[in-house]
Amino acid sequence: MASSEAPSMSADKRELRILLENGEYWLSNKGDLAILDITIRRIAQRWPSARIGVLTSRPSLLRAFEPDAEPVNYLPGGEWSKWNRLGRVPGFFGPTVAGPVLRVSVAAMTRIERLVRTAAAPVRAVKPSASESSTAKNPARVALSRDGGRLPNAVADASLVIAIGGGYLADVDKFQTMRTLDLLEYAVTHRIPAVMLGQGIGPIHDPDLIERAAAVLPKVDFIAVREDRRGPDLLRSLGVRSEHIVVTGDDAVELAYSTRRQELGTDIGVCLRVADYAPVGASVQDTVGRIVRGVAAETGAMLVPLIVSEHDSEDRRSTLPLLTGFPAVARPLGRFARARAVAREVGRCRIVVTGAYHVAVFALSQGIPVVALSTSSYYDDKFGGLGSMFGSGIDVVRLDREDVDDLLTRAMRNAWDTAHEARSVLLARAVEQIDASRLAFARAAELVERDATAPRETNHRRIEPPTFPK
């Protein structure tokens, strides 16, 4: 079992405010929610009285998933939330109950807001908004971003800014990459400790992104990356010093490992991702479905749909049709299931076939081999990096190959036949990554704790990070 961290109280001498940039403000991806869950638990364990702010566009849904966190809007004037009893209600019921209600109410409110904005447009052209008036009275409260937008006020009061793991620092999500870099730039410029944990970096070829990343990332206290094949070299090419780069693995590994079963499962898990950054044609989708059903029939396995991304229901729309007509299919989890529930569904499987990165993380972390489906360099890098961290247990199949039928069939059969012997190696690699991830968090915590013992006027000075343990 991975070693645990001893909580430190040295930073409790003043109120700590930890601001988390999670990269997915709609809270619709179970992989990102897994990372958020682990990070919040670590913060609460180390600093029980700390305030934990999470940038989000769904404040009530955040409360439902993470009652200990405070929603912060990435908007002009976005502040730390004020305590109120009504805001605690979603956390009491949890996401599976509160989520559907919130979804209906958000849709209704969105329609109302659109009507109000349309009606108020002529007035706003003359009269500033409340947040604009507040900024005019105290312009120092809001930091201008590179593109003339505005960062949330909450960053100015943060004791530590953490950009938690995700695959958003890449060409495929330029808007979010720029937004994250703006936030980090404000922090380092104002001597607020800033770190990045469990990050998937790249591919980045866009000249604007390269220029912006090279201007900001070398100033961050340190960057922990989730793989060792691409990220470290890319960061060094952007000017980040080697001593400020550490390889940890994905922070979601810990959540998945904690849900593992004592024995290997008997089912076949399936998730197909089809999106702009992961294109899969209709005929190829049909091929994947036919082969998955065929191997399941050979082995007598039940098929388990594994839904990670609920953005536009993309994983549901791509995955569930593959299983249609097969006699033994598990019921898919609901839209607002917790990340741990998805990880437990993965745990019932002997092998997993997936085009979604975090389904693969959930599987490998529980000692379950993966057949990974890719049609892009973005996913080649993601799955390749994951394979490097675990050393074995993942076979990447390109769906744009002419011989995909044979490749996928052989990969599934091989994964099924070798599942038992792969299990112990994969679990051992998971423990190594958990330990490295916890050490990276401890390193971030030390920045704050050293800061907290400094004289008040130097609380936000820049600190040279300590040497990271080997």
Side-chain angles (χ1 to χ4, degrees):
M1 175 65 69
S3 60
S4 60
E5 304 160 0
S8 172
M9 301 300 292
S10 64
D12 287 341
K13 295 179 180 179
R14 63 183 174 88
E15 182 181 67
L16 283 180
R17 297 189 180 197
I18 315 300
L19 184 62
L20 302 181
E21 163 62 89
N22 73 330
E24 205 280 286
Y25 297 170
W26 298 91
L27 306 177
S28 59
N29 187 291
K30 308 306 184 205
D32 296 322
L33 286 169
I35 296 169
L36 185 63
D37 179 277
I38 288 298
T39 305
I40 289 173
R41 286 171 182 265
R42 289 174 177 174
I43 294 170
Q45 179 185 9
R46 193 167 189 113
W47 304 304
S49 61
R51 296 180 67 176
I52 307 170
V54 178
L55 293 169
T56 180
S57 298
R58 288 290 177 261
S60 294
L61 189 57
L62 175 70
R63 291 287 198 189
F65 276 113
E66 300 291 346
D68 292 333
E70 302 180 26
V72 176
N73 282 318
Y74 200 129
L75 295 170
E79 299 278 3
W80 293 86
S81 62
K82 294 181 173 61
W83 189 93
N84 65 79
R85 294 183 184 277
L86 187 60
R88 301 289 177 175
V89 172
F92 177 78
F93 286 104
T96 54
V97 174
V101 176
L102 294 170
R103 188 182 185 191
V104 172
S105 64
V106 165
M109 288 301 297
T110 300
R111 288 193 292 270
I112 293 172
E113 287 171 2
R114 287 173 180 167
L115 292 173
V116 171
R117 281 199 299 269
T118 301
V123 177
R124 284 183 54 82
V126 179
K127 183 179 179 180
S129 67
S131 63
E132 289 167 343
S133 298
S134 174
T135 301
K137 294 176 183 176
N138 189 2
R141 289 291 296 146
V142 178
L144 293 177
S145 76
R146 178 173 180 266
D147 297 320
R150 297 183 184 276
L151 296 172
N153 288 345
V155 66
D157 298 321
S159 309
L160 171 66
V161 174
I162 303 177
I164 63 177
Y168 52 87
L169 291 175
D171 288 332
V172 299
D173 202 350
K174 181 176 180 178
F175 177 74
Q176 181 57 42
T177 300
M178 288 294 197
R179 189 156 56 174
T180 300
L181 293 173
D182 284 345
L183 187 76
L184 293 170
E185 182 181 52
Y186 178 91
V188 298
T189 300
H190 291 79
R191 299 182 179 179
I192 300 169
V195 302
M196 306 175 75
L197 302 179
Q199 287 291 334
I201 309 290
I204 299 178
H205 301 292
D206 185 289
D208 292 336
L209 281 185
I210 291 174
E211 179 184 2
R212 187 76 178 122
V216 175
L217 296 184
K219 301 173 185 176
V220 174
D221 285 285
F222 74 91
I223 302 172
V225 293
R226 67 190 186 189
E227 50 79 30
D228 57 4
R229 291 179 74 242
R230 304 288 190 193
D233 286 342
L234 176 55
L235 288 174
R236 281 189 282 267
S237 75
L238 294 170
V240 181
R241 292 157 54 188
S242 294
E243 59 266 33
H244 288 181
I245 303 170
V246 61
V247 179
T248 62
D250 196 295
D251 291 341
V253 169
E254 180 168 348
L255 180 140
Y257 181 84
S258 72
T259 66
R260 71 194 184 285
R261 297 185 176 193
Q262 292 299 316
E263 301 294 334
L264 191 63
T266 58
D267 302 334
I268 297 177
V270 184
C271 179
L272 180 64
R273 174 70 52 82
V274 179
D276 291 343
Y277 54 87
V280 183
S283 62
V284 177
Q285 293 180 48
D286 291 341
T287 298
V288 172
R290 173 172 51 79
I291 293 171
V292 164
R293 295 191 301 272
V295 175
E298 289 177 15
T299 57
M302 176 177 282
L303 291 176
V304 182
L306 301 172
I307 310 302
V308 166
S309 174
E310 297 289 0
H311 174 68
D312 288 339
S313 299
E314 60 185 358
D315 285 357
R316 289 182 185 276
R317 289 187 288 104
S318 303
T319 302
L320 297 185
L322 305 182
L323 316 183
T324 301
F326 194 74
V329 178
R331 182 177 180 179
L333 296 178
R335 177 183 179 86
F336 297 99
R338 294 184 185 275
R340 288 179 184 275
V342 177
R344 290 190 185 98
E345 284 293 281
V346 173
R348 63 187 287 179
C349 301
R350 181 185 177 98
I351 67 171
V352 164
V353 180
T354 178
Y357 166 82
H358 268 111
V359 171
V361 172
F362 288 173
L364 295 171
S365 303
Q366 298 181 68
I368 300 167
V370 168
V371 177
L373 311 176
S374 175
T375 59
S376 66
S377 61
Y378 177 59
Y379 270 98
D380 289 345
D381 281 0
K382 293 179 86 166
F383 288 132
L386 196 56
S388 178
M389 294 304 295
F390 279 91
S392 62
I394 182 168
D395 191 351
V396 182
V397 174
R398 287 284 305 210
L399 295 181
D400 50 4
R401 290 273 300 266
E402 290 185 2
D403 55 348
V404 65
D405 297 56
D406 183 53
L407 289 174
L408 182 54
T409 301
R410 284 193 287 112
M412 288 186 65
R413 287 172 175 166
N414 181 65
W416 184 273
D417 292 340
T418 60
H420 275 291
E421 61 189 79
R423 182 173 168 81
S424 60
V425 174
L426 294 176
L427 290 176
R429 286 298 188 98
V431 171
E432 291 173 1
Q433 292 173 68
I434 293 168
D435 286 339
S437 174
R438 289 179 176 179
L439 284 172
F441 175 78
R443 176 175 174 176
E446 187 174 346
L447 293 174
V448 179
E449 291 164 358
R450 286 187 175 187
D451 225 17
T453 59
R456 188 66 180 178
E457 64 271 17
T458 61
N459 272 344
H460 279 163
R461 74 195 191 289
R462 287 281 292 167
I463 304 172
E464 186 67 20
T467 302
F468 190 74
K470 298 292 185 183

